[in-house]
């Protein structure tokens, strides 16, 4: 199997918030129908303190001059190893810590198209994955990035990177400003191959195991 080493965590699925402390009836935002193929530049849920809100996936630093379309850098992901010093992310590292909830995410294997997608979800009892995130407000627009780290052994058969997925203690550490770069290294996930999905495909069938 050939692992895909280029982009990572470029698609994920919305969390299932029903029956949780973030039940939609308690939210101050209008929820969108649960999506199973969330893409960069779309609005995603972010947790700021105890407030669940939304942000555009793809961080734009507050200092960017010009229009939205003028921002060309790929900033959907930030490496936990060096985000604190990268010009695009260092402001959000200091002042824009957030959590990005997800129900799972996709990675691809193969060197030629069409590549084989794999779906990753929690290997434990907690259904929601809490990604460490960075939030930046640009021209009153909330934007965000997902932190990534070196993969652990539950991910390395597919990819050499993984999102920084935090347990309850690590979530508190991250939001309180910890500079630890080992956050998320022990989080266990499981994965299975799924049918190939196009950019416009949607629905719960996308995460069913490939037959």
């Amino acid at each position: 199997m050939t692992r895909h080493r280029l982009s990572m965590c470029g698609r994920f699925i919305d969390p299932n918030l029903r029956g949780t402390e973030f039940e939609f009836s308690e939210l101050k935002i209008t929820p969108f129908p649960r999506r199973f193929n969330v893409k960069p530049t779309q609005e995603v849920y972010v947790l700021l303190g105890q407030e669940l809100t939304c942000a555009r996936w793809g961080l734009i630093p507050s200092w960017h001059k010009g229009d939205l379309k003028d921002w060309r850098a790929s900033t959907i992901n930030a490496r936990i190893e060096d985000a604190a010093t990268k010009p695009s992310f260092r402001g959000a590292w200091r002042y824009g810590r957030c959590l990005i909830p997800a129900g799972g995410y996709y990675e691809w294997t193969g060197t030629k198209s069409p590549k084989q997608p794999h779906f990753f979800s929690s290997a434990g009892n907690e259904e929601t994955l809490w990604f460490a995130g960075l939030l930046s407000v640009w021209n009153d627009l909330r934007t965000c990035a997902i932190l990534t780290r070196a993969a652990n052994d539950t991910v390395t058969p597919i990819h050499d990177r993984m999102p920084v997925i935090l347990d309850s203690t690590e979530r508190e550490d991250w939001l309180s400003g910890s500079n630890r770069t080992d956050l998320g290294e022990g989080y266990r996930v499981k994965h299975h191959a799924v049918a190939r999905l196009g950019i416009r495909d949607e629905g719960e069938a996308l995460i069913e195991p490939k037959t």
Side-chain angles (χ1 to χ4, degrees):
M1 179 182 293
T2 302
R3 297 186 297 175
H4 184 41
R5 296 175 179 269
L6 300 177
S7 62
M8 76 88 40
C9 199
R11 304 279 182 86
F12 65 93
I13 76 170
D14 284 326
N16 178 14
L17 298 178
R18 294 187 182 279
T20 73
E21 60 185 301
F22 302 109
E23 182 68 54
F24 289 142
S25 62
E26 303 296 324
L27 301 183
K28 299 178 181 179
I29 58 176
T30 301
F32 23 74
R34 191 180 186 197
R35 300 163 300 175
F36 291 82
N37 191 8
V38 180
K39 296 167 279 293
T41 75
Q42 290 186 318
E43 292 282 298
V44 301
Y45 295 118
V46 296
L47 184 65
L48 301 174
Q50 297 301 311
E51 178 192 4
L52 192 69
T53 184
C54 292
R56 178 187 183 273
W57 185 19
L59 187 143
I60 302 176
S62 59
W63 46 257
H64 171 60
K65 306 298 183 184
D67 295 331
L68 179 64
K69 61 180 174 58
D70 297 327
W71 181 253
R72 301 293 187 181
S74 177
T75 47
I76 63 170
N77 296 151
R79 292 168 53 94
I80 196 170
E81 298 92 339
D82 55 22
T85 60
K86 292 290 185 182
S88 295
F89 301 121
R90 62 191 177 195
W93 180 273
R94 293 182 65 186
Y95 306 113
R97 303 288 182 95
C98 68
L99 299 173
I100 301 174
Y105 70 98
Y106 300 97
E107 291 295 357
W108 280 258
T109 53
T111 57
K112 297 180 179 179
S113 294
K115 297 181 174 68
Q116 173 61 56
H118 303 260
F119 178 68
F120 287 78
S121 58
S122 173
N125 295 325
E126 188 176 34
E127 181 181 0
T128 300
L129 304 179
W130 292 96
F131 298 153
L134 296 174
L135 185 98
S136 172
V137 179
W138 173 81
N139 286 1
D140 296 324
L141 175 67
R142 285 174 169 168
T143 69
C144 65
I146 294 170
L147 269 289
T148 70
R149 58 161 301 104
N152 62 33
D153 62 348
T154 65
V155 178
T156 50
I158 305 298
H159 206 284
D160 56 0
R161 304 285 297 176
M162 67 183 290
V164 176
I165 309 171
L166 306 176
D167 62 25
S168 57
T169 299
E170 290 176 325
R171 294 198 285 271
E172 293 180 11
D173 288 349
W174 171 247
L175 293 176
S176 66
S178 171
N179 286 319
R180 289 172 51 195
T181 57
D182 63 339
L183 292 172
E185 69 177 6
Y187 198 94
R188 315 300 286 176
V189 293
K190 58 186 178 182
H191 58 83
H192 58 260
V194 295
R196 293 187 176 95
L197 60 151
I199 194 167
R200 293 182 177 83
D201 291 337
E202 190 51 84
E204 192 168 2
L206 296 182
I207 66 173
E208 293 297 323
K210 182 180 179 181
T211 57

